[in-house]
Amino acid sequence: MPSRPAAYLCLALSMSLVGSYVALSKPLAAALPVFLLAWMRFGIGGLGMLHWLKKPADEGPMTPQVRRLLFLESFLGNFLFTLCMISGVSLTSAVSAGVTMAGIPAAVAVMSWFFLKEKVSARTWIAVGCAVVGIALFSLSNSEHHNQVNSRHEGENDPNLVWLGQLLLLGAVLCEAAYSVIGKKLTGTLGPRRITSLINLWGFALATPMGLYAAWHFDFATLTPGLWTLLIFYALAASMWTVWLWMTGLKAVPAAQGGVFTVMLPISAALVGVLVLGERLAPVQLIAFGIAIASVVLATLPEKSSMRRLSSEANAEAMDSQSPRH
């Protein structure tokens, strides 16, 4: 069980890595079909953690419920989320996707309260609200997103299907929230490495039929050494590192509180854009980042009851150390 600060660090690093590979994977999305990219991601990631599949000696028998949760974790969080997100963006716009995705922290908080019976404090709800505002503001201020919205208004998509796109984006939010809630449930039974390897295996199985079909019609000679290097980084980061960090953090942090850390995704993606891709930040985006960071600070500050308990324990230890030993 990691300490609370270590768990916070794991959650922040996980979402930061997600933002980094999202920003750097644009060339991959342009060079590879979606299903082929997903299939290769799971395959390369699986090779990197074959040794994680082995059942630890201290792990008990896997119950049917745990098996179902592992399947749902991969089906909802990997497979269905990707389909809903890509299809939703194609029918609406990237701005719509960004603003809708801003609802993920709130969806995680509600689902953890309803399904896990977690007690969500008022300060966590405020942190969730700040996270939603920060992500939404960043999405609305992104000039690239605005350009994509303008192209949508020029008739690139059927206006009659916009409602379907929004519904698919909402489905993506629910899938991502379910991923966090189910992950929290699984951490009570399985270790982070075991969870990571098993849900990746399910993802590989789900993506194999369409992945093989796409691979049969794809010319792999078009992939440069640079794209192969980026593909390996993307596969290991998306399938292995980020999932393991997320599951490790959730072992010690409530799901509702962990959901706030999704604000690190747009922050890290924007930083990669500025530092690596030469992009510039608008003033409104800086304000959005400030709100997003405030949400993390609110979510991670110790509660007063925890502070009082730690203070009482410290005082008790001090008095015990001053008492005579017999």
Side-chain angles (χ1 to χ4, degrees), residues 75-86 101 172 175-176:
F75 178 72
L76 295 175
N78 289 332
F79 186 75
L80 198 58
F81 171 81
T82 301
L83 291 182
C84 287
M85 172 61 77
I86 294 174
M101 289 301 103
C175 286
E176 186 65 15

Side-chain angles (χ1 to χ4, degrees), residues 19-28 230 233 272 276-277:
S20 299
Y21 72 64
V22 165
L24 293 174
S25 63
K26 289 182 180 181
L28 291 175
L230 190 58
F233 166 78
V272 168
V276 179
L277 304 179

Side-chain angles (χ1 to χ4, degrees), residues 103-120:
I104 289 176
V108 173
V110 172
M111 290 180 73
S112 63
W113 167 76
F114 185 80
F115 290 105
L116 300 180
K117 309 303 179 184
E118 288 184 355
K119 183 179 180 181
V120 184

Side-chain angles (χ1 to χ4, degrees), residues 175-211:
C175 286
E176 186 65 15
Y179 174 82
S180 293
V181 173
I182 295 173
K184 177 63 178 178
K185 185 76 172 178
L186 286 170
T187 56
T189 306
L190 304 175
R193 292 185 179 186
R194 182 91 157 128
I195 297 172
T196 303
S197 59
L198 289 172
I199 64 175
N200 182 80
L201 189 62
W202 266 118
F204 182 75
L206 290 168
T208 290
M210 293 301 296

Side-chain angles (χ1 to χ4, degrees), residues 59-320:
E59 181 184 305
M62 199 178 298
T63 64
Q65 182 191 32
V66 171
R67 295 179 188 275
R68 287 193 296 269
L69 289 176
L70 284 169
F71 170 76
L72 286 174
E73 180 80 338
S74 184
F75 178 72
L76 295 175
N78 289 332
F79 186 75
L80 198 58
F81 171 81
T82 301
L83 291 182
C84 287
M85 172 61 77
I86 294 174
S87 302
V89 171
S90 67
L91 293 174
T92 55
S93 67
V95 166
S96 296
V99 175
T100 306
M101 289 301 103
I104 289 176
V108 173
V110 172
M111 290 180 73
S112 63
W113 167 76
F114 185 80
F115 290 105
L116 300 180
K117 309 303 179 184
E118 288 184 355
K119 183 179 180 181
V120 184
S121 66
R123 195 173 67 187
T124 299
W125 282 117
I126 295 173
V128 166
C130 289
V132 170
V133 172
I135 298 174
L137 188 59
F138 171 77
S139 301
L140 289 171
S141 64
N142 193 311
S143 59
E144 179 184 354
H145 287 173
H146 282 301
N147 292 335
Q148 294 188 31
V149 166
N150 292 335
S151 67
R152 298 292 184 262
H153 290 314
E154 291 172 3
E156 187 175 326
N157 290 314
D158 186 353
N160 295 325
L161 293 178
V162 171
W163 68 269
L164 178 59
Q166 289 291 348
L167 193 62
L168 287 168
L169 290 175
L170 180 60
V173 169
L174 296 177
C175 286
E176 186 65 15
Y179 174 82
S180 293
V181 173
I182 295 173
K184 177 63 178 178
K185 185 76 172 178
L186 286 170
T187 56
T189 306
L190 304 175
R193 292 185 179 186
R194 182 91 157 128
I195 297 172
T196 303
S197 59
L198 289 172
I199 64 175
N200 182 80
L201 189 62
W202 266 118
F204 182 75
L206 290 168
T208 290
M210 293 301 296
L212 282 175
Y213 177 81
W216 184 261
H217 297 85
F218 183 75
D219 182 11
F220 286 90
T222 60
L223 295 179
T224 64
L227 282 175
W228 277 109
T229 302
L230 190 58
L231 176 60
I232 293 173
F233 166 78
Y234 166 72
L236 294 177
S239 294
M240 186 176 179
W241 302 332
T242 58
V243 182
W244 174 78
L245 286 167
W246 189 255
M247 296 302 166
T248 301
L250 283 182
K251 283 186 71 70
V253 174
Q257 197 176 22
V260 175
F261 283 86
T262 55
V263 300
M264 300 304 297
L265 196 160
I267 292 176
S268 61
L271 289 177
V272 168
V274 171
L275 299 176
V276 179
L277 304 179
E279 299 175 359
R280 294 183 179 181
L281 287 178
V284 178
Q285 289 174 315
L286 293 175
I287 296 174
F289 288 162
I291 296 173
I293 292 297
S295 71
V296 174
V297 173
L298 278 171
T300 55
L301 281 175
E303 299 284 348
K304 289 183 178 180
S305 57
S306 300
M307 293 294 291
R308 285 195 296 266
R309 188 184 71 253
L310 291 174
S311 178
S312 299
E313 291 176 355
N315 291 334
E317 289 179 1
M319 292 177 64
D320 184 61

